[in-house]
Amino acid sequence: MMKSNFKDILIGECIKTRIQEIGITEAEVARSLETNQDELIGYYTAQDMDVDVLLKLSKILDYDFFRLYSQHLILYAPAIARETPSSNVQKSEGLQFRKNIYTFEIINFILEKIENNEMSISEVVNAYNIPKTTLNKWINKNKK
């Protein structure tokens, strides 16, 4: 499974890792993208890329690369943007956004920080605005 640093997303490296993980050749990926292998290899050093290319790569490699950016927003959005009324839904001109949807990858990312003594529970609570009760549930569930 691909590990990620949700703070500094190096999308090109993520793509290269995924290609290696699933064992598909660069030639096959380039053919599916309707490009050449040199251009594909050029993507490996990219910090960002065209959304259409990223969507195609997500389909070809069967991995949601956009999720990396969503998880970044969940973990690193400014505190003001994360504060909402008691509701879990934030309204913005007719659109509704659910607040803090924690994915499996985010939970593992946070738990690894605690297990490796990189952050304490209180530091995680303060840094990522995760309720302490939620964090304790994750820890207890992970122990089993």
Side-chain angles (χ1 to χ4, degrees):
M1 181 185 300
M2 187 176 337
K3 289 187 113 177
S4 181
N5 173 355
F6 295 113
K7 184 161 186 153
D8 301 312
I9 300 170
L10 303 174
I11 197 66
E13 288 182 16
C14 295
I15 290 165
K16 181 179 180 180
T17 300
R18 182 63 181 167
I19 289 171
Q20 293 169 347
E21 281 179 353
I22 63 175
I24 191 171
T25 66
E26 290 173 344
E28 290 173 294
V29 175
R31 197 173 318 110
S32 297
L33 276 176
E34 300 174 352
T35 189
N36 60 52
Q37 206 166 334
D38 290 335
E39 189 171 348
L40 174 65
I41 291 170
Y43 290 145
Y44 295 166
T45 57
Q47 287 187 312
D48 57 37
M49 66 182 53
D50 187 70
V51 173
D52 291 333
V53 173
L54 193 58
L55 180 60
K56 286 179 185 176
L57 284 166
S58 292
K59 291 176 182 178
I60 294 165
L61 301 176
D62 194 30
Y63 187 86
D64 182 1
F65 291 105
F66 294 96
R67 179 178 280 186
L68 299 172
Y69 294 102
S70 299
Q71 292 167 338
H72 172 90
L73 290 173
I74 290 169
L75 292 173
Y76 299 104
I80 293 170
R82 291 189 295 213
E83 292 175 8
T84 60
S86 60
S87 162
N88 279 348
V89 178
Q90 183 178 6
K91 293 185 179 181
S92 174
E93 297 190 17
L95 297 176
Q96 293 184 345
F97 299 97
R98 289 197 49 152
K99 180 185 175 208
N100 294 342
I101 301 172
Y102 301 108
T103 63
F104 179 74
E105 291 91 346
I106 288 178
I107 293 170
N108 284 339
F109 174 78
I110 297 296
L111 291 176
E112 278 183 23
K113 292 239 180 236
I114 295 169
E115 288 170 7
N116 296 333
N117 294 320
E118 294 175 40
M119 295 179 86
S120 68
I121 291 174
S122 60
E123 289 173 328
V124 168
V125 168
N126 292 331
Y128 301 118
N129 201 30
I130 297 172
K132 191 171 183 177
T133 55
T134 301
L135 190 55
N136 284 328
K137 285 179 188 176
W138 295 349
I139 293 168
N140 291 333
K141 189 174 183 180
N142 191 49
K143 288 180 183 177
K144 294 179 183 178

